[in-house]
Amino acid sequence: MTHYLYLVRHGEHQDAEHGLEDGPLSPRGVRQAALLADRLSGLPFDAVWHSPLVRATETARILADRMPAIDPQPNALLFDCVPTGMTEDTPTVFEPFFGSFSDDDFEAGKAQMADAINEFLVRKPGDVHELLITHNFVISWFVREIMGADEWRWLTLNQAHCGLTVLAQKKGRPWSLVSHNDIAHLPYELRTGLPEVPPV
């Protein structure tokens, strides 16, 4: 009996490539979401949750159009956020990134992610398949959490648009990372959203 958590970053959006700005999916983002739906079709999802932001909502809608058995629901715990500010251990190279955010942003992000961990990283009985359509930083925080890495390590984890990360927990065992940022369903020209995309 295993609890699977499928974490997906939304498709590419039109208004911003980085940061917390929102916008509708780009034509590439629509194609990414459709290919992701094909990849996930056939999985027996018990629940599908998505960030209420437009780019994640549209990604969820495309999946639902191609996967009629699912009924995606918005969840505020999956909003885009910045989980921490600079910590004592954060390398100084990351300091410029934090300059556009306030202490209130950091506090809100940390509280949100604490609630998200308590909501979603909780073992449920039986075989469970849950899909979360969310944002890069949220997925990074989940992965950092289950690996027990230092808080600042979320900054070093990145997901492509419509990349797939899978976490799993068997009864009596800790969570494990099954796959991270799997983009096998995306052709090279649709592999967007990463600082660097390898050619293979």
Side-chain angles (χ1 to χ4, degrees):
M1 297 294 185
T2 306
H3 182 182
Y4 292 98
L5 203 58
Y6 302 81
L7 305 174
V8 166
R9 187 181 181 189
H10 58 80
E12 180 188 79
H13 59 108
Q14 294 178 1
D15 290 356
E17 287 293 328
H18 304 287
L20 304 183
E21 297 87 355
D22 199 15
L25 294 184
S26 68
R28 273 197 306 200
V30 171
R31 291 176 61 201
Q32 290 165 344
L35 290 169
L36 174 66
D38 292 344
R39 172 78 181 273
L40 297 176
S41 63
L43 285 171
F45 287 114
D46 299 284
V48 178
W49 306 98
H50 66 87
S51 160
L53 292 176
V54 172
R55 57 195 188 266
T57 301
E58 289 194 358
T59 302
R61 189 189 70 240
I62 291 170
L63 264 63
D65 287 345
R66 298 173 77 96
M67 301 166 64
I70 68 171
D71 181 24
Q73 297 296 316
N75 190 305
L77 296 178
L78 300 177
F79 264 119
D80 205 355
C81 69
V82 180
T84 67
M86 286 288 292
T87 69
E88 290 183 0
D89 298 323
T90 307
T92 55
V93 69
F94 292 110
E95 194 164 358
F97 166 79
F98 292 109
S100 59
F101 302 102
S102 69
D103 288 342
D104 288 343
D105 292 327
F106 303 142
E107 289 179 15
K110 192 172 185 70
Q112 175 189 317
M113 291 316 303
D115 289 344
I117 293 301
N118 289 332
E119 176 72 19
F120 295 111
L121 286 185
V122 175
R123 180 73 171 90
K124 298 179 174 67
D127 284 320
V128 179
H129 298 261
E130 293 182 300
L131 172 61
L132 309 184
I133 302 162
T134 182
H135 305 275
N136 188 33
F137 297 163
V138 175
I139 297 170
S140 298
W141 189 260
F142 271 80
V143 173
R144 182 218 61 80
E145 177 73 17
I146 70 157
M147 300 302 291
D150 291 341
E151 282 194 353
W152 67 270
R153 279 293 182 178
W154 68 272
L155 289 157
T156 66
L157 297 164
N158 289 285
Q159 285 70 223
H161 293 122
C162 285
L164 175 63
T165 292
V166 182
L167 313 181
Q169 186 184 47
K170 293 183 180 294
K171 185 177 181 180
R173 298 185 183 182
W175 284 92
S176 61
L177 181 63
V178 177
S179 65
H180 177 252
N181 192 40
D182 184 346
I183 52 176
H185 50 287
L186 299 175
Y188 180 71
E189 66 273 13
L190 293 184
R191 296 178 180 183
T192 61
L194 288 173
E196 296 179 6
V197 180
V200 293

